[in-house]
PDB file of all heavy atoms in Angstrom:
ATOM      1  N   THR A 385      80.263  30.182 -57.311  1.00  0.00           N
ATOM      2  CA  THR A 385      80.200  31.341 -58.208  1.00  0.00           C
ATOM      3  C   THR A 385      80.852  32.549 -57.556  1.00  0.00           C
ATOM      4  O   THR A 385      81.599  33.290 -58.195  1.00  0.00           O
ATOM      5  CB  THR A 385      78.740  31.668 -58.567  1.00  0.00           C
ATOM      6  OG1 THR A 385      78.148  30.547 -59.221  1.00  0.00           O
ATOM      7  CG2 THR A 385      78.654  32.878 -59.488  1.00  0.00           C
ATOM      8  N   VAL A 386      80.586  32.742 -56.260  1.00  0.00           N
ATOM      9  CA  VAL A 386      81.180  33.855 -55.527  1.00  0.00           C
ATOM     10  C   VAL A 386      82.699  33.754 -55.544  1.00  0.00           C
ATOM     11  O   VAL A 386      83.403  34.746 -55.774  1.00  0.00           O
ATOM     12  CB  VAL A 386      80.677  33.886 -54.066  1.00  0.00           C
ATOM     13  CG1 VAL A 386      81.440  34.932 -53.261  1.00  0.00           C
ATOM     14  CG2 VAL A 386      79.182  34.149 -54.019  1.00  0.00           C
ATOM     15  N   ARG A 387      83.209  32.567 -55.310  1.00  0.00           N
ATOM     16  CA  ARG A 387      84.667  32.388 -55.219  1.00  0.00           C
ATOM     17  C   ARG A 387      85.378  32.687 -56.540  1.00  0.00           C
ATOM     18  O   ARG A 387      86.566  33.015 -56.545  1.00  0.00           O
ATOM     19  CB  ARG A 387      84.999  30.964 -54.768  1.00  0.00           C
ATOM     20  CG  ARG A 387      84.548  30.646 -53.354  1.00  0.00           C
ATOM     21  CD  ARG A 387      85.204  29.372 -52.837  1.00  0.00           C
ATOM     22  NE  ARG A 387      84.835  28.198 -53.608  1.00  0.00           N
ATOM     23  CZ  ARG A 387      83.816  27.395 -53.346  1.00  0.00           C
ATOM     24  NH1 ARG A 387      83.014  27.663 -52.322  1.00  0.00           N
ATOM     25  NH2 ARG A 387      83.570  26.330 -54.097  1.00  0.00           N
ATOM     26  N   LYS A 388      84.641  32.587 -57.639  1.00  0.00           N
ATOM     27  CA  LYS A 388      85.266  32.710 -58.958  1.00  0.00           C
ATOM     28  C   LYS A 388      85.177  34.098 -59.567  1.00  0.00           C
ATOM     29  O   LYS A 388      85.800  34.355 -60.595  1.00  0.00           O
ATOM     30  CB  LYS A 388      84.631  31.702 -59.927  1.00  0.00           C
ATOM     31  CG  LYS A 388      84.895  30.254 -59.571  1.00  0.00           C
ATOM     32  CD  LYS A 388      84.105  29.328 -60.482  1.00  0.00           C
ATOM     33  CE  LYS A 388      84.281  27.863 -60.102  1.00  0.00           C
ATOM     34  NZ  LYS A 388      83.434  26.970 -60.928  1.00  0.00           N
ATOM     35  N   THR A 389      84.384  34.991 -58.980  1.00  0.00           N
ATOM     36  CA  THR A 389      84.182  36.293 -59.620  1.00  0.00           C
ATOM     37  C   THR A 389      84.568  37.459 -58.716  1.00  0.00           C
ATOM     38  O   THR A 389      84.452  37.367 -57.494  1.00  0.00           O
ATOM     39  CB  THR A 389      82.708  36.462 -60.060  1.00  0.00           C
ATOM     40  OG1 THR A 389      82.567  37.691 -60.772  1.00  0.00           O
ATOM     41  CG2 THR A 389      81.769  36.478 -58.854  1.00  0.00           C
ATOM     42  N   SER A 390      85.013  38.524 -59.357  1.00  0.00           N
ATOM     43  CA  SER A 390      85.270  39.780 -58.646  1.00  0.00           C
ATOM     44  C   SER A 390      84.335  40.867 -59.162  1.00  0.00           C
ATOM     45  O   SER A 390      84.518  42.048 -58.856  1.00  0.00           O
ATOM     46  CB  SER A 390      86.730  40.210 -58.816  1.00  0.00           C
ATOM     47  OG  SER A 390      87.040  40.360 -60.193  1.00  0.00           O
ATOM     48  N   ASP A 391      83.348  40.470 -59.942  1.00  0.00           N
ATOM     49  CA  ASP A 391      82.345  41.398 -60.469  1.00  0.00           C
ATOM     50  C   ASP A 391      81.449  41.846 -59.318  1.00  0.00           C
ATOM     51  O   ASP A 391      80.607  41.092 -58.830  1.00  0.00           O
ATOM     52  CB  ASP A 391      81.521  40.694 -61.551  1.00  0.00           C
ATOM     53  CG  ASP A 391      80.469  41.606 -62.178  1.00  0.00           C
ATOM     54  OD1 ASP A 391      80.167  42.666 -61.595  1.00  0.00           O
ATOM     55  OD2 ASP A 391      79.953  41.260 -63.256  1.00  0.00           O
ATOM     56  N   GLU A 392      81.606  43.085 -58.897  1.00  0.00           N
ATOM     57  CA  GLU A 392      80.906  43.549 -57.701  1.00  0.00           C
ATOM     58  C   GLU A 392      79.395  43.638 -57.900  1.00  0.00           C
ATOM     59  O   GLU A 392      78.628  43.461 -56.953  1.00  0.00           O
ATOM     60  CB  GLU A 392      81.467  44.886 -57.233  1.00  0.00           C
ATOM     61  CG  GLU A 392      82.869  44.762 -56.655  1.00  0.00           C
ATOM     62  CD  GLU A 392      83.223  45.892 -55.712  1.00  0.00           C
ATOM     63  OE1 GLU A 392      82.342  46.333 -54.952  1.00  0.00           O
ATOM     64  OE2 GLU A 392      84.378  46.332 -55.735  1.00  0.00           O
ATOM     65  N   ILE A 393      78.957  43.893 -59.124  1.00  0.00           N
ATOM     66  CA  ILE A 393      77.512  43.918 -59.378  1.00  0.00           C
ATOM     67  C   ILE A 393      76.932  42.530 -59.157  1.00  0.00           C
ATOM     68  O   ILE A 393      75.881  42.369 -58.529  1.00  0.00           O
ATOM     69  CB  ILE A 393      77.226  44.411 -60.819  1.00  0.00           C
ATOM     70  CG1 ILE A 393      77.668  45.871 -60.968  1.00  0.00           C
ATOM     71  CG2 ILE A 393      75.744  44.251 -61.143  1.00  0.00           C
ATOM     72  CD1 ILE A 393      77.489  46.437 -62.362  1.00  0.00           C
ATOM     73  N   LYS A 394      77.643  41.517 -59.662  1.00  0.00           N
ATOM     74  CA  LYS A 394      77.201  40.139 -59.462  1.00  0.00           C
ATOM     75  C   LYS A 394      77.273  39.755 -57.990  1.00  0.00           C
ATOM     76  O   LYS A 394      76.366  39.114 -57.442  1.00  0.00           O
ATOM     77  CB  LYS A 394      78.081  39.191 -60.287  1.00  0.00           C
ATOM     78  CG  LYS A 394      77.685  37.719 -60.206  1.00  0.00           C
ATOM     79  CD  LYS A 394      76.344  37.469 -60.832  1.00  0.00           C
ATOM     80  CE  LYS A 394      76.021  35.985 -60.875  1.00  0.00           C
ATOM     81  NZ  LYS A 394      74.653  35.726 -61.410  1.00  0.00           N
ATOM     82  N   LEU A 395      78.345  40.163 -57.331  1.00  0.00           N
ATOM     83  CA  LEU A 395      78.530  39.812 -55.924  1.00  0.00           C
ATOM     84  C   LEU A 395      77.485  40.479 -55.024  1.00  0.00           C
ATOM     85  O   LEU A 395      77.086  39.906 -54.010  1.00  0.00           O
ATOM     86  CB  LEU A 395      79.939  40.200 -55.475  1.00  0.00           C
ATOM     87  CG  LEU A 395      81.061  39.315 -56.031  1.00  0.00           C
ATOM     88  CD1 LEU A 395      82.431  39.908 -55.718  1.00  0.00           C
ATOM     89  CD2 LEU A 395      80.960  37.904 -55.469  1.00  0.00           C
ATOM     90  N   GLN A 396      77.025  41.668 -55.400  1.00  0.00           N
ATOM     91  CA  GLN A 396      75.980  42.338 -54.630  1.00  0.00           C
ATOM     92  C   GLN A 396      74.667  41.568 -54.690  1.00  0.00           C
ATOM     93  O   GLN A 396      73.837  41.659 -53.788  1.00  0.00           O
ATOM     94  CB  GLN A 396      75.786  43.770 -55.139  1.00  0.00           C
ATOM     95  CG  GLN A 396      76.917  44.700 -54.726  1.00  0.00           C
ATOM     96  CD  GLN A 396      76.850  46.047 -55.435  1.00  0.00           C
ATOM     97  OE1 GLN A 396      75.940  46.309 -56.220  1.00  0.00           O
ATOM     98  NE2 GLN A 396      77.824  46.904 -55.159  1.00  0.00           N
ATOM     99  N   GLU A 397      74.479  40.793 -55.777  1.00  0.00           N
ATOM    100  CA  GLU A 397      73.290  39.955 -55.907  1.00  0.00           C
ATOM    101  C   GLU A 397      73.424  38.676 -55.086  1.00  0.00           C
ATOM    102  O   GLU A 397      72.430  38.144 -54.584  1.00  0.00           O
ATOM    103  CB  GLU A 397      73.063  39.577 -57.370  1.00  0.00           C
ATOM    104  CG  GLU A 397      72.798  40.751 -58.305  1.00  0.00           C
ATOM    105  CD  GLU A 397      72.740  40.316 -59.758  1.00  0.00           C
ATOM    106  OE1 GLU A 397      72.879  39.098 -60.016  1.00  0.00           O
ATOM    107  OE2 GLU A 397      72.551  41.177 -60.635  1.00  0.00           O
ATOM    108  N   LEU A 398      74.663  38.198 -54.948  1.00  0.00           N
ATOM    109  CA  LEU A 398      74.906  36.895 -54.340  1.00  0.00           C
ATOM    110  C   LEU A 398      75.150  36.957 -52.835  1.00  0.00           C
ATOM    111  O   LEU A 398      74.893  35.974 -52.126  1.00  0.00           O
ATOM    112  CB  LEU A 398      76.104  36.221 -55.018  1.00  0.00           C
ATOM    113  CG  LEU A 398      75.947  35.888 -56.499  1.00  0.00           C
ATOM    114  CD1 LEU A 398      77.290  35.446 -57.085  1.00  0.00           C
ATOM    115  CD2 LEU A 398      74.906  34.801 -56.704  1.00  0.00           C
ATOM    116  N   LEU A 399      75.674  38.093 -52.348  1.00  0.00           N
ATOM    117  CA  LEU A 399      76.056  38.205 -50.946  1.00  0.00           C
ATOM    118  C   LEU A 399      75.325  39.365 -50.272  1.00  0.00           C
ATOM    119  O   LEU A 399      74.880  40.295 -50.936  1.00  0.00           O
ATOM    120  CB  LEU A 399      77.572  38.433 -50.822  1.00  0.00           C
ATOM    121  CG  LEU A 399      78.497  37.377 -51.415  1.00  0.00           C
ATOM    122  CD1 LEU A 399      79.944  37.855 -51.323  1.00  0.00           C
ATOM    123  CD2 LEU A 399      78.323  36.048 -50.703  1.00  0.00           C
ATOM    124  N   THR A 400      75.241  39.316 -48.957  1.00  0.00           N
ATOM    125  CA  THR A 400      74.748  40.475 -48.218  1.00  0.00           C
ATOM    126  C   THR A 400      75.861  41.529 -48.196  1.00  0.00           C
ATOM    127  O   THR A 400      77.042  41.224 -48.423  1.00  0.00           O
ATOM    128  CB  THR A 400      74.378  40.108 -46.780  1.00  0.00           C
ATOM    129  OG1 THR A 400      75.554  39.671 -46.090  1.00  0.00           O
ATOM    130  CG2 THR A 400      73.324  39.005 -46.748  1.00  0.00           C
ATOM    131  N   ASP A 401      75.484  42.764 -47.916  1.00  0.00           N
ATOM    132  CA  ASP A 401      76.474  43.846 -47.893  1.00  0.00           C
ATOM    133  C   ASP A 401      77.567  43.568 -46.867  1.00  0.00           C
ATOM    134  O   ASP A 401      78.757  43.811 -47.129  1.00  0.00           O
ATOM    135  CB  ASP A 401      75.794  45.176 -47.567  1.00  0.00           C
ATOM    136  CG  ASP A 401      74.889  45.660 -48.696  1.00  0.00           C
ATOM    137  OD1 ASP A 401      75.028  45.157 -49.827  1.00  0.00           O
ATOM    138  OD2 ASP A 401      74.035  46.537 -48.434  1.00  0.00           O
ATOM    139  N   ASP A 402      77.180  43.064 -45.703  1.00  0.00           N
ATOM    140  CA  ASP A 402      78.154  42.810 -44.638  1.00  0.00           C
ATOM    141  C   ASP A 402      79.158  41.738 -45.042  1.00  0.00           C
ATOM    142  O   ASP A 402      80.364  41.874 -44.793  1.00  0.00           O
ATOM    143  CB  ASP A 402      77.437  42.376 -43.357  1.00  0.00           C
ATOM    144  CG  ASP A 402      76.725  43.530 -42.674  1.00  0.00           C
ATOM    145  OD1 ASP A 402      77.159  44.684 -42.859  1.00  0.00           O
ATOM    146  OD2 ASP A 402      75.738  43.280 -41.962  1.00  0.00           O
ATOM    147  N   VAL A 403      78.663  40.667 -45.642  1.00  0.00           N
ATOM    148  CA  VAL A 403      79.565  39.580 -46.037  1.00  0.00           C
ATOM    149  C   VAL A 403      80.468  40.026 -47.183  1.00  0.00           C
ATOM    150  O   VAL A 403      81.671  39.726 -47.190  1.00  0.00           O
ATOM    151  CB  VAL A 403      78.766  38.315 -46.418  1.00  0.00           C
ATOM    152  CG1 VAL A 403      79.699  37.237 -46.987  1.00  0.00           C
ATOM    153  CG2 VAL A 403      78.015  37.760 -45.204  1.00  0.00           C
ATOM    154  N   LEU A 404      79.930  40.763 -48.141  1.00  0.00           N
ATOM    155  CA  LEU A 404      80.749  41.255 -49.253  1.00  0.00           C
ATOM    156  C   LEU A 404      81.844  42.182 -48.741  1.00  0.00           C
ATOM    157  O   LEU A 404      83.010  42.078 -49.163  1.00  0.00           O
ATOM    158  CB  LEU A 404      79.873  41.973 -50.278  1.00  0.00           C
ATOM    159  CG  LEU A 404      80.616  42.612 -51.461  1.00  0.00           C
ATOM    160  CD1 LEU A 404      81.494  41.593 -52.183  1.00  0.00           C
ATOM    161  CD2 LEU A 404      79.626  43.256 -52.433  1.00  0.00           C
ATOM    162  N   SER A 405      81.500  43.081 -47.832  1.00  0.00           N
ATOM    163  CA  SER A 405      82.507  43.991 -47.257  1.00  0.00           C
ATOM    164  C   SER A 405      83.594  43.206 -46.535  1.00  0.00           C
ATOM    165  O   SER A 405      84.788  43.534 -46.628  1.00  0.00           O
ATOM    166  CB  SER A 405      81.841  44.974 -46.287  1.00  0.00           C
ATOM    167  OG  SER A 405      80.942  45.810 -46.965  1.00  0.00           O
TER     168      SER A 405
END
Side-chain angles (χ1 to χ4, degrees):
T385 300
V386 172
R387 294 195 297 269
K388 294 174 183 176
T389 185
S390 58
D391 181 344
E392 290 203 38
I393 295 177
K394 182 66 174 176
L395 288 171
Q396 286 170 2
E397 298 174 1
L398 297 170
L399 301 174
T400 63
D401 291 343
D402 287 334
V403 173
L404 177 55
S405 296

